[in-house]
Amino acid sequence: LKKLVNEVVLECNAYYQRRGINMPVPDIIKELGQKYKTYPSIHHQAPEAHQCYLCKSHLATCKGSHMAPHFLIQTFLSVDGTTKRGKEVVTETILGELRQDRKWGRNVSPEDIDATFGGVPNEEKETIKSDALTRDDYFCEQCEKRFSYIEAAYADYFFKRKKTISPEISYLFWLSVFWRLHMASMCIRLNDADAERIRTILDTYLPYSQKDVANISLADHEEPLHYVLLHCEDTRTELLGLVGDHSTHAPYKILCGKYIVILHSSDVDSKYPVNDYRKQEQCVEIPFMEWWKYKFEILASA
């Protein structure tokens, strides 16, 4: 608990410093900062041989499954802003547990580790840590590929290699992001009913080949799930990251870099366009203060 308190204090101090505010630091906090600098490694171990969490039919043997698609997080979690894999630097928090761990990819130098985390003991830097953004033995090989087919199609649209995208693809993509983050206890928590609804949708409609992506049809699908997609280009000096609110009921919110994604599990009135599988996805550009308010709300609930 003291380690978490220390992290909160450091985040608050950084927040105040960005705004030119000087806050007095109590002696007890100063002591925390000196005494609690090491992090116990968090190891993610799936249970012994079990069925794939998506299809529930085949053994979950896939290694290194990304819970958040790499193309979404590749720049704002990178130590140098590049898109190269293994450059990620992350402070990982496990939902429901008072545990944190600082982690870095295999291509992050010791100097960059110190610059990012304010000095790390050599013995910790030498420790091989599990990747905070991936999980082993969650899915079968087939379902892992099913996720990748949707991701590849959405990435073409995300990077503007294609001007339009099927609303079914966008819909399945964002549902898969929320569901996988939930399954990994990574920044978002769905209630059991919503998690199972989304799992059923994904298992029913995710394609089994790249060619099948063009033929996805949700014509017989009637689940009232909707999402709002917001973006802020000018986030100023704000720290970007992958954070979700800890509410166990809709609407569920994720801060993903410059994006805010809000998932509704029922019909809803919104001042923003609401996306589903029926019409072309709409992403709304919002001003900094509106984006910041959402960020504040998400962090406050985390």
Side-chain angles (χ1 to χ4, degrees), residues 230-245:
L230 309 174
H231 178 265
C232 178
E233 182 56 38
D234 180 17
T235 52
R236 304 183 187 179
T237 59
E238 287 295 306
L239 183 66
L240 303 180
L242 179 64
V243 187
D245 65 6

Side-chain angles (χ1 to χ4, degrees), residues 7 39-45 77-79 86-94 99-109 112-114 116-117 120 124-125 127-135 184 186:
E7 287 298 318
Y39 289 58
S41 293
I42 294 174
H43 300 287
H44 303 285
Q45 295 182 344
L77 293 184
S78 172
V79 70
K87 286 284 192 175
E88 301 86 2
V89 286
V90 179
T91 299
E92 180 183 17
T93 302
I94 298 299
R99 291 197 294 161
Q100 278 192 329
D101 193 5
R102 47 193 173 195
K103 295 187 175 181
W104 44 84
R106 62 185 179 277
N107 294 319
V108 180
S109 70
D112 283 336
I113 293 172
D114 285 335
T116 301
F117 295 108
V120 176
E124 185 179 350
K125 281 185 282 195
T127 301
I128 298 176
K129 299 187 177 187
S130 58
D131 191 335
L133 304 174
T134 65
R135 298 289 186 269
M186 189 186 295

Side-chain angles (χ1 to χ4, degrees), residues 170-189:
S170 304
Y171 179 75
L172 292 175
F173 172 78
W174 285 112
L175 288 188
S176 79
V177 171
F178 274 88
W179 183 75
R180 282 179 287 174
L181 291 176
H182 160 78
M183 291 302 296
S185 297
M186 189 186 295
C187 87
I188 195 75
R189 180 184 295 155

Side-chain angles (χ1 to χ4, degrees), residues 70-83 159 240:
H70 179 71
F71 74 83
L72 279 182
I73 61 177
Q74 60 188 0
T75 55
F76 65 81
L77 293 184
S78 172
V79 70
D80 56 9
T82 66
T83 60
F159 290 114
L240 303 180

Side-chain angles (χ1 to χ4, degrees), residues 197-251:
R197 289 166 68 192
I198 294 174
R199 186 203 69 81
T200 301
I201 293 168
L202 295 173
D203 189 36
T204 301
Y205 295 105
L206 283 178
Y208 285 90
S209 73
Q210 197 67 57
K211 291 191 299 184
D212 291 338
V213 172
N215 300 317
I216 295 174
S217 174
L218 278 70
D220 58 343
H221 173 61
E222 296 182 354
E223 282 282 355
L225 291 164
H226 312 276
Y227 67 96
V228 171
L229 185 59
L230 309 174
H231 178 265
C232 178
E233 182 56 38
D234 180 17
T235 52
R236 304 183 187 179
T237 59
E238 287 295 306
L239 183 66
L240 303 180
L242 179 64
V243 187
D245 65 6
H246 291 193
S247 172
T248 54
H249 59 80

Side-chain angles (χ1 to χ4, degrees), residues 230-276:
L230 309 174
H231 178 265
C232 178
E233 182 56 38
D234 180 17
T235 52
R236 304 183 187 179
T237 59
E238 287 295 306
L239 183 66
L240 303 180
L242 179 64
V243 187
D245 65 6
H246 291 193
S247 172
T248 54
H249 59 80
Y252 307 102
K253 303 182 187 73
I254 292 176
L255 169 71
C256 184
K258 295 185 175 185
Y259 290 86
I260 303 286
V261 195
I262 306 170
L263 178 65
H264 298 274
S265 63
S266 60
D267 292 325
V268 62
D269 290 327
S270 172
K271 65 178 181 179
Y272 304 115
V274 177
N275 299 295
D276 58 20

